[in-house]
Amino acid sequence: MVRSGDTIAQRAEQSPPAARRRRHSVEHTRKRQKIKSSETETRTYIQTLNSNFTTASSSCKRQHTNSRRRKSRRNLCKRKWTYSERDASEHNDRVVIVSYNILGVENATKHPHLYSRVPPEYMNWEYRKKIMCKEISGYRPSILCLQAIDHFDELNKILQKDGFRGLHKARSGDSRDGCAIFWKSDQFTLLDEENIEFQRFGLRHNVAQFCVLKMNQDLHKADDTSSASTSHSIVVGNIHVLFNPNRGDIKLGQMRMFLEKAYELSQKWGCIPVVVTGDLNSLPQSALYQYVASSKLHVHQHDRRKISGQLCSSGYTESHYLHNCIARWTDEEKMLATGSRDNSLKHPLMLRSAYAGIPGSSKVRDKAGEPLATSYHSAFSGTVDYIWHTSDLVPVKVLEALPTRSLKKTGGLPSKEWGSDHLAIACELAFADNSN
């Protein structure tokens, strides 16, 4: 038994087992503390790893989401070419034609209600000019037809740097905008030019223009001994038809004179191919479209206020017009439309639509084969822009418009990616015969 007066040493000597137990207990406690400390460090390390993983995972998700958004925007901005199934490899001479209503500054300023949903910076001409020129360059056109152009000198300087030469025809009257045709000067030589001021014929202040272009012989291979005979020529027509939906008589009159002049130039230069482009301010379901496509129209079967289809929300059907329209035309209206008092209207060209000639997806085309929409703003969405050609030209590819869903995502044109309230239309055409 240990007494209270014993020294520590004595107590240690007297009861060595108890001291060992105490030392063992202290060591055991220290080991447990080390284990707990180690467990705590391990848990902290695991929590850190989990936190880092969560942060990295969130970062990856954000990057993936941002990547998908960027990809979605790129897809929104991307327009695709659709190629003909017809083998055109034997046709060496080809031209890429772009037609584009670029929304004149004056027109945009006069009708701000059409662009109320467009941010002001995207309406700025300097911004629009920059992105439209970049867009056009990407299509690599041989021939460029512009409508609603009121800053010709500015665009001419820019396009000259890309090797284009151009001609401009301003509207008559107070408006400043007009039409312009540009062509690659290393590919073509200008043979002839003409224009029409429709006001001279009582058909408002719109204009049309024409160029006869000859492909330069040095484009052919040096060993081609028949180069002289394979230097093709082409008539290019460009028009911006009257907008007013109620004046179908004037619209028809403008198209009649336009197509007659194109035919006249073709005959003058040896029955050469014709391509006509422009903003016709008429829908593919309209009587005016029918006139261009079929070369004839019985005007008395149609209401002049619905000739362009702009006021027909349900679309055009012949039976609708025959049974429900007001088909009365005055002699003056018939004279403006047909050039005579006849009820029938004809033109001498057999024209084909470049787009209708190459079948496309229903996501971007209508039943006629035309784009679903080439123009989109707060008051309108539909197709009014076209490229037509004679049968001695073969369509190789066409530039598809945006799907309606993608177009609506812009909220209205112009937008960040597109500089006009119209979309450019484009095609590549090959000369069907390699000998003249």
Side-chain angles (χ1 to χ4, degrees):
M1 182 175 182
V2 179
R3 293 182 294 274
S4 60
D6 293 340
T7 64
I8 293 176
Q10 289 174 334
R11 288 198 296 270
E13 291 176 356
Q14 293 171 2
S15 56
R20 285 195 298 271
R21 283 196 298 273
R22 283 195 297 273
R23 288 195 299 272
H24 179 73
S25 177
V26 171
E27 291 175 356
H28 181 68
T29 299
R30 289 175 178 171
K31 287 181 179 179
R32 290 185 63 185
Q33 288 176 345
K34 288 182 178 179
I35 291 172
K36 287 183 178 179
S37 177
S38 177
E39 289 176 347
T40 301
E41 290 177 356
T42 301
R43 283 196 297 271
T44 301
Y45 178 68
I46 291 173
Q47 288 174 354
T48 302
L49 286 178
N50 288 337
S51 177
N52 290 340
F53 176 77
T54 301
T55 301
S57 177
S58 298
S59 177
C60 287
K61 287 180 179 179
R62 285 195 300 270
Q63 291 176 4
H64 180 64
T65 300
N66 292 336
S67 176
R68 288 198 313 180
R69 287 174 179 171
R70 286 193 299 268
K71 184 177 181 181
S72 176
R73 285 195 294 267
R74 286 195 300 269
N75 288 339
L76 178 66
C77 299
K78 188 176 181 181
R79 295 180 61 185
K80 299 178 180 178
W81 292 92
T82 296
Y83 290 79
S84 172
E85 296 181 354
R86 175 176 175 175
D87 181 15
S89 58
E90 63 183 36
H91 306 308
N92 298 322
D93 290 344
R94 303 182 182 187
V95 293
V96 174
I97 297 175
V98 173
S99 180
Y100 205 169
N101 179 322
I102 63 171
L103 178 59
V105 176
E106 184 181 36
N107 289 341
T109 304
K110 284 182 176 179
H111 306 286
H113 63 285
L114 300 179
Y115 314 106
S116 58
R117 294 177 295 183
V118 179
E121 60 267 28
Y122 301 151
M123 293 299 299
N124 179 269
W125 166 244
E126 292 300 321
Y127 179 81
R128 295 199 298 115
K129 177 178 65 175
K130 179 180 177 181
I131 63 173
M132 283 192 292
C133 287
K134 182 177 179 181
E135 175 196 357
I136 290 169
S137 178
Y139 301 143
R140 301 175 66 86
S142 315
I143 299 170
L144 173 62
C145 297
L146 301 181
Q147 305 88 41
I149 176 173
D150 56 8
H151 282 63
F152 173 77
D153 291 339
E154 292 181 36
L155 291 174
N156 190 37
K157 289 179 180 178
I158 295 172
L159 291 170
Q160 278 182 349
K161 295 177 181 178
D162 285 336
F164 284 96
R165 182 187 168 193
L167 291 173
H168 174 237
K169 179 58 183 175
R171 289 178 58 176
S172 56
D174 297 330
S175 297
R176 295 176 52 200
D177 69 295
C179 295
I181 299 177
F182 295 87
W183 61 93
K184 283 281 191 178
S185 57
D186 64 340
Q187 297 181 28
F188 297 97
T189 298
L190 178 66
L191 298 179
D192 199 355
E193 61 173 297
E194 293 220 23
N195 57 69
I196 303 174
E197 292 183 2
F198 291 111
Q199 176 60 25
R200 295 183 177 182
F201 307 93
L203 295 169
R204 299 296 176 89
H205 291 289
N206 303 79
V207 295
Q209 61 175 167
F210 301 88
C211 288
V212 178
L213 301 172
K214 183 177 182 180
M215 296 192 79
N216 294 333
Q217 294 182 13
D218 56 6
L219 292 176
H220 300 277
K221 296 179 180 179
D223 58 353
D224 185 0
T225 58
S226 62
S227 62
S229 63
T230 58
S231 184
H232 291 96
S233 297
I234 185 173
V235 176
V236 180
N238 184 25
I239 188 173
H240 192 176
V241 172
L242 176 72
F243 169 78
N244 189 341
N246 293 309
R247 296 310 304 264
D249 52 336
I250 292 178
K251 288 174 181 278
L252 286 174
Q254 290 180 352
M255 283 305 298
R256 168 179 57 82
M257 295 193 66
F258 178 60
L259 298 177
E260 287 175 352
K261 176 58 70 173
Y263 176 77
E264 178 185 316
L265 287 170
S266 173
Q267 296 297 303
K268 176 181 176 180
W269 290 95
C271 301
I272 60 177
V274 173
V275 57
V276 291
T277 73
D279 177 354
L280 305 191
N281 273 313
S282 302
L283 304 184
Q285 302 81 19
S286 69
L288 190 142
Y289 183 96
Q290 177 188 336
Y291 166 61
V292 178
S294 67
S295 301
K296 60 184 179 180
L297 187 73
H298 296 292
V299 296
H300 67 281
Q301 295 179 348
H302 304 274
D303 185 341
R304 68 169 173 80
R305 297 168 299 179
K306 298 179 181 179
I307 289 294
S308 65
Q310 293 163 286
L311 301 179
C312 303
S313 59
S314 61
Y316 166 86
T317 60
E318 188 167 344
S319 60
H320 169 82
Y321 277 99
L322 286 173
H323 295 97
N324 297 292
C325 71
I326 301 174
R328 294 183 184 139
W329 289 65
T330 66
D331 287 344
E332 181 183 359
E333 291 165 353
K334 283 192 291 185
M335 181 65 72
L336 290 172
T338 69
S340 68
R341 288 184 172 81
D342 293 339
N343 288 319
S344 61
L345 181 62
K346 296 181 180 180
H347 72 78
L349 291 172
M350 297 297 293
L351 294 172
R352 302 176 181 182
S353 164
Y355 278 84
I358 300 180
S361 167
S362 59
K363 293 182 179 180
V364 290
R365 304 283 196 91
D366 65 10
K367 293 181 180 179
E370 299 293 349
L372 286 174
T374 63
S375 179
Y376 177 46
H377 52 62
S378 61
F380 177 77
S381 176
T383 291
V384 292
D385 304 279
Y386 305 92
I387 300 176
W388 298 85
H389 61 90
T390 47
S391 60
D392 34 16
L393 294 168
V394 179
V396 177
K397 64 180 181 180
V398 293
L399 179 67
E400 296 292 2
L402 294 175
T404 304
R405 181 179 177 185
S406 298
L407 194 59
K408 288 183 177 179
K409 283 182 179 179
T410 66
L413 300 178
S415 67
K416 181 179 181 180
E417 296 83 13
W418 310 107
S420 174
D421 58 348
H422 288 245
L423 294 173
I425 56 173
C427 69
E428 182 177 48
L429 299 173
F431 287 88
D433 185 1
N434 281 332
S435 65
N436 218 7

